Amino acid sequence: MRGPVLGLFGVFAPLSLVTVGGGQTVIAAIQRQVVDQHGWMTAPQFLNAFAISRMAPGPGSLLATLIGWQVAGFWGAVAATLGIFGPTAVLIYGVAVVWRRHQGALWQRALEGGLRPVAAGMILASVYVLMESLDGGWPAVAVAFASTAALMASRVNPLLLLVVGAGIFLALHGNG
């Protein structure tokens, strides 16, 4: 359990503590660590792991488990999962006690108001990193923007969007 296994825990444990707003807020930081810094995956491999983690049931932070599995097999998956969920679980227990004790305090409202734009910015950074990793050129970007618009403007089932997106790329590349 040496080498990349401990490295996986060392990458995900600190990121766990900054997941303000959910796991999607640290996607850009995970990509930077896994692809750019450690070279454990290519950008397209990272994007594929992200897509699989979003389609699978359970928390989106299961991306860490998939990355750990790809980098170092079973023990890599265990180390990455403990790294992304462990520190947050301990921290949130302590924060919940303090939060309940000071319900409605001025500092608490200010902190909540300050964290919202930070979380939104982190999510936008994640979107930017994922868009940069897209294979497929302008059709992929167009499908991504059209899917986003459809989801924001209607109650369309995301599965329908997946089928339509796959159909578009099958039509574009099906014969070659």
Side-chain angles (χ1 to χ4, degrees), residues 109-138:
R109 291 192 310 256
L111 187 61
E112 287 173 346
L115 289 177
R116 287 184 195 126
V118 170
M122 292 171 76
I123 291 170
L124 287 174
S126 298
V127 168
Y128 177 77
V129 165
L130 294 172
M131 293 293 284
E132 274 191 334
S133 301
L134 279 178
D135 280 341
W138 67 266

Side-chain angles (χ1 to χ4, degrees), residues 44-125:
Q45 287 174 324
F46 179 83
L47 189 60
N48 289 339
F50 174 78
I52 291 169
S53 74
R54 291 300 158 173
M55 292 176 60
S61 297
L62 288 178
L63 171 64
T65 306
L66 289 173
I67 291 169
W69 182 270
Q70 184 160 344
V71 171
F74 175 79
W75 290 113
V78 170
T81 303
L82 288 175
I84 199 70
F85 290 111
T88 298
V90 173
L91 177 66
I92 200 65
Y93 178 77
V95 168
V97 170
V98 172
W99 214 254
R100 187 177 315 145
R101 188 172 296 152
H102 300 282
Q103 190 76 28
L106 180 61
W107 67 266
Q108 193 178 66
R109 291 192 310 256
L111 187 61
E112 287 173 346
L115 289 177
R116 287 184 195 126
V118 170
M122 292 171 76
I123 291 170
L124 287 174

Side-chain angles (χ1 to χ4, degrees), residues 131 134-151 160-170 172:
M131 293 293 284
L134 279 178
D135 280 341
W138 67 266
V141 173
V143 167
F145 280 115
S147 299
T148 301
L151 284 172
L160 178 62
L161 295 174
L162 289 171
V163 169
V164 170
I168 290 170
F169 277 86
L170 188 61
L172 289 174

